[in-house]
Amino acid sequence: MDIASPTLLTAADPAPVRILNPTASSPLLLVCDHAGKAVPAALHGLGVPEAELDRHIGWDIGAAAVTEGLVRRLDARAVLSVYSRLVVDCNRWPDSPTLMPAISDGTPVPANQDLSDTARALRMEALYQPYHDAITAERARIQAEGQVPVLISIHSFTPQMNGFQRPWQVGVLWNRDGRLALPMLAALRAEGDLTVGDNEPYSARTGTDFTIIHHGEAANLPVLMLEIRQDLIADAAGADAWAARLARLLPVVIAGLT
């Protein structure tokens, strides 16, 4: 199911949000803030070479495929963004300076230079707000069915940043709520073949991550963010293997909430 927006986007543009399995019986709500790399036609590719949009700056490589694999295996529902994080980053607060970055990992984004308030508002209305409205609506549906939503945010990270080779295969990011994060850290470490980061390679305690705080912690829902290294999930086989691994671990972790 897709949700369309009347502004900025034309009929030729994809809808800003993908909702998978909205009739799921599970309380598990998967969200993928950087699932897609589309750019509205009106923005002419942001003035960025397509090869740059294909990089980690344009989207979270492999994250959507892992999310889709979890949906299939766990009868979960999912909300996925469609447009590039360079157009608008759906995991940033509305006043964040990196919401529509003028430069990302050394790559200038010409269409984001000196954005007017009107241009910013159009992107928020067309792309950012529909995504977060969709998460709110799916969360409400789960609650209307008498269940407590369990929010899992799926991300991926580049193996190297600023010359540093990141050793982790997966990171568990969390802020103040450890109900899911602590047992998930233990479950991943017990696998025996992984280097697992606790708030690595990023920390959810910096306050920059909007989704898990706004939709999870603010509503006192169990929540965590998973970061998987992109070289492990860049192809279909790798993404499927990680979806299978997480589908094996997550039900055990979630069962511990009751």
Side-chain angles (χ1 to χ4, degrees):
M1 180 171 69
D2 291 336
I3 297 176
S5 169
T7 59
L8 181 64
L9 305 179
T10 69
D13 288 310
V17 185
R18 294 170 60 208
I19 300 176
L20 306 181
N21 201 22
T23 60
S25 60
S26 165
L28 183 58
L29 175 56
L30 303 168
V31 298
C32 195
D33 300 320
H34 306 140
K37 55 181 177 178
V39 176
L43 300 183
H44 306 289
L46 299 172
V48 174
E50 188 172 347
E52 292 295 299
L53 290 169
D54 290 340
R55 293 202 307 127
H56 71 96
I57 64 171
W59 62 325
D60 275 4
I61 296 165
V66 172
T67 303
E68 291 162 2
L70 286 170
V71 167
R72 293 192 300 270
R73 288 173 168 87
L74 297 179
D75 190 29
R77 70 191 75 200
V79 179
L80 297 88
S81 68
V82 170
Y83 284 84
S84 173
R85 63 192 301 174
L86 293 180
V87 181
V88 61
D89 191 329
C90 288
N91 193 35
R92 294 293 179 266
W93 297 83
D95 61 352
S96 169
T98 60
L99 183 74
M100 302 171 197
I103 188 167
S104 181
D105 192 23
T107 297
V109 185
N112 291 355
Q113 309 288 332
D114 302 317
L115 275 173
S116 68
D117 290 343
T118 298
R120 294 176 69 89
L122 281 173
R123 296 190 197 185
M124 295 294 284
E125 178 187 4
L127 309 176
Y128 184 96
Q129 200 58 49
Y131 175 71
H132 289 291
D133 286 349
I135 296 174
T136 299
E138 293 307 312
R139 190 182 73 195
R141 288 190 182 97
I142 294 170
Q143 292 170 318
E145 293 162 3
Q147 301 186 90
V148 176
V150 177
L151 184 67
I152 310 288
S153 180
I154 306 294
H155 288 252
S156 69
F157 65 94
T158 183
Q160 178 178 309
M161 179 65 75
N162 299 325
F164 174 61
Q165 292 288 340
R166 291 161 158 174
W168 313 281
Q169 285 90 12
V170 61
V172 176
L173 277 58
W174 57 296
N175 185 27
R176 291 191 286 272
D177 186 349
R179 285 176 289 174
L180 281 175
L182 292 174
M184 193 67 197
L185 279 165
L188 286 165
R189 286 169 173 163
E191 293 284 274
D193 62 341
L194 299 174
T195 299
V196 183
D198 181 353
N199 272 316
E200 297 286 1
Y202 307 105
S203 174
R205 293 177 182 153
T206 62
T208 58
D209 296 298
F210 178 79
T211 301
I212 63 169
I213 294 175
H214 176 76
H215 292 288
E217 287 191 354
N220 195 32
L221 300 178
V223 59
L224 64 79
M225 183 190 303
L226 290 173
E227 288 268 7
I228 308 167
R229 207 173 66 203
Q230 289 170 357
D231 58 313
L232 304 176
I233 57 173
D235 60 23
D240 194 63
W242 266 92
R245 187 195 291 258
L246 293 174
R248 174 169 49 81
L249 299 178
L250 277 170
V252 178
V253 170
I254 292 169
L257 292 170
T258 59

